Amino acid sequence: MTRRSTWILRGTTSAGVAGALVAVAWMGPSALSASTAPAYQPVAFNLGVLVDNGVISPLVHLEQTVQAQNGNYYVDTDSNSPNYLIEVSGAAPHAVVGTIQLNGLGGQYLGDGVAVGNMLYYRNVTGMIPTGVTGVSACPVIAVNLQAFTSQNATASATSPSYDEWSTGSVPGSISCPPEPAGTQFSSTQHYAIAAVGPTVYWTGGSHVWAWDTTTNTVSAVVTASLTGSLAVDTIGGTVYAFVGETSPSPDIAMYNLGSGIPSSPVTTAAYSWSLPTGSSGLGDFQLDAGQNELWFVREFDTQVGYVSLPSLPIDNASSTSNVPSGQGAVYNIVNAPNGASQAESMTLDPTTGNLWVASGNVNGSSSAGNVVDFGYVNPSSLTNDIVSASTKSSPGQINLTYESTPPNLSLGADDFVLVGSDPAYFSTGPILSITKVDNVNHVANPGESFSWEITAGVATSSATAEPGPSSGATFAAGTLSNSPSSSSSFAFTVTDPLPAGVTVSQTALTNANANDGWSCTLASSSTPPTVTCTYAFASTQTLQPGQSLPSIIVPVQVDATDAAGTVLSNTATVVSTDAAPQSATDSVTVVAPPSTAAGSTPPQPTTSGSTTPTAPATSSAPTVATQPTAVKLVTGPRSAPSSITALTWGGVALASVGVGGLAVVAIEERRRQGGARGSGALR
């Protein structure tokens, strides 16, 4: 959908305001060294309960995601009737916990948004006045007070008690609009951009940048110019600057000095400007780098990213410079964006590595099959590694991004995404999966010892729907969605388990451990790292309800005899289904050294303080016989230590112990004569 230019600066606000959009970007090639990219896994915000119950369409356009001070995430529906703010849990699994219906907007566009504490501010594109608000001729910004919504004034969903429903029309004090300055009426001209610095909210409207001081509830015009709606605001060295995007008559970036944030009269002259190469579309999001030396942007629908080098600051508007000379900025076409490159939009940065992220694909809702949101990143500190061709002042260059994809046919579009930790978030329509991983040696093992990992996958109790979900066989045509459950030929669970260094597993042991359980498990021993992959194909009428699990997977392993004491054997298993986002679980086992005895001597009998005396294992000087890993399905969970054992001695000699979960642990290894079985035991 070709429409507006939207800039939103994930701007720095006061440190005490949680949920504010944080300005983080690369610090320049000389300031931030290149680093190895972390292993990213996009995080699913699950909206399946709303799709399955017809509250929103699977093709809905979601605009801006923000995190409030309460820790939860909120996203507004764009051109959905009725308009909603959707509340998603800040804790995993990230599922819907509430909806706020915005009464009186008639399904009109909502634009970008910001969070200031527990207040949400969304750009009301058409200026329509919501129900319950009086005294204004237009409402350019919808202010939502989250503290007005309580369990007492919520309505339990008739279709699912898992989330609360609110309506602003029935909750007094929940919604408001900015007051119009004396003698002024807000313009109804469509704009989408909004930003915040501390308690001041900024937006573009008509020929002005407006500032709403929410502490005094007053509104002032801070910039008067020929504006088209693109905006970013941030504080640099104690001075507030507004960055405004122009797309007509030429694509320009203009910078205005706002002093302390609200000047006594509107600023009319730009302190700094820069012209982009002519293109067919406007500008998207802005990001100011952490060193506040460069302003990065994404140019939507042209699939372009670029940056402007800022001058030495502070710079006064009266000392306006000429247009930025060549060499102090660049524009690059992204040449490898998959799944709808022309739909590139949104930008944010990973504060851990400085990676610059761009969303492409199904960012605005789509009617095509295989809906996917792709997140691509590039690290500006190592920009030369990704540039295909150089940028000039008149012509864009070319650049490659590294892409992370989301599962097909279940991703909803959202213009502006957030990072959860360092992972980009998208919206999923499928059920919520569950996975656990445990070992049967209580997290400790000797070199050469065999043990098993047990992986259990299923549907989370918090999931709104069973597997296969209603949308698992979805087909997209002409802007509508036809739901039908997947058939047995296409629906499956897949678990992957990359093995840590220091253990071995055989295909035979893996197959035998999971025979007749419905899982088909293979070992890719030549991959790096060696990886176990198990697939479970559903029968034609099989379903898995919330809270139910498939049979457990057993991964029998043997600790390498050369593993040193203290080695931690840790790995993560991940489950994904045909119509649900991946979930992961991790377990760790620490290698401990067994107690040693003098060669040829008879080990003394062990005694315990505060417990009975265990019988010492038989011994022999015969050679040790290696054993295959033993597959043991857990029935009552991992073995646990008898709480009465507080110390362990052997022949009056205190044996070294390893504390695990507050327990004294010592492993005693028994070696039998050739032809006998090797056993290993543990007093825990």
Side-chain angles (χ1 to χ4, degrees), residues 12 234-241 243 255 288 291-293 310 313-314:
T12 53
D234 201 9
T235 301
I236 306 176
T239 301
V240 179
Y241 292 92
F243 301 90
M255 175 181 177
L288 191 65
Q292 299 183 317
N293 298 313
L310 300 182
L313 301 175

Side-chain angles (χ1 to χ4, degrees), residues 68-233:
Q69 193 174 47
N70 61 19
N72 287 347
Y73 297 92
Y74 297 82
V75 62
D76 58 318
T77 58
D78 184 346
S79 194
N80 185 79
S81 184
N83 296 92
Y84 284 101
L85 293 181
I86 301 171
E87 181 183 16
V88 177
S89 172
H94 302 284
V96 174
V97 294
T99 60
I100 302 172
Q101 183 174 330
L102 305 176
N103 297 110
L105 298 184
Q108 298 301 307
Y109 281 114
L110 288 179
D112 295 330
V114 292
V116 180
N118 283 321
M119 291 291 298
L120 304 182
Y121 299 90
Y122 282 93
R123 185 67 170 89
N124 187 14
V125 177
T126 62
M128 184 173 287
I129 301 171
T131 301
V133 175
T134 60
V136 291
S137 59
C139 184
V141 175
I142 297 289
V144 179
N145 181 9
L146 297 178
Q147 293 178 316
F149 302 101
T150 66
S151 58
Q152 285 72 34
N153 57 30
T155 301
S157 168
T159 53
S160 174
S162 62
Y163 69 94
D164 290 321
E165 294 178 334
W166 290 281
S167 172
T168 56
S170 59
V171 180
S174 62
I175 194 167
S176 60
C177 302
E180 290 176 322
T184 302
Q185 289 186 337
F186 289 132
S187 169
S188 59
T189 304
Q190 292 191 7
H191 293 286
Y192 289 77
I194 192 169
V197 172
T200 304
V201 177
Y202 298 86
W203 73 93
T204 52
S207 59
H208 299 291
V209 174
W210 297 95
W212 182 5
D213 185 339
T214 60
T215 59
T216 62
N217 196 33
T218 56
V219 173
S220 305
V222 294
V223 175
T224 299
S226 175
L227 305 173
T228 57
S230 303
L231 174 69
V233 184

Side-chain angles (χ1 to χ4, degrees), residues 41 56 91 101 145 353 420 429 466 469 482 494 505 509 517 524 548 630 676:
Q41 178 172 298
I56 61 173
Q101 183 174 330
N145 181 9
T353 64
V420 179
T429 62
S482 173
T494 300
V505 61
D517 278 345
Q548 293 183 336
T630 303

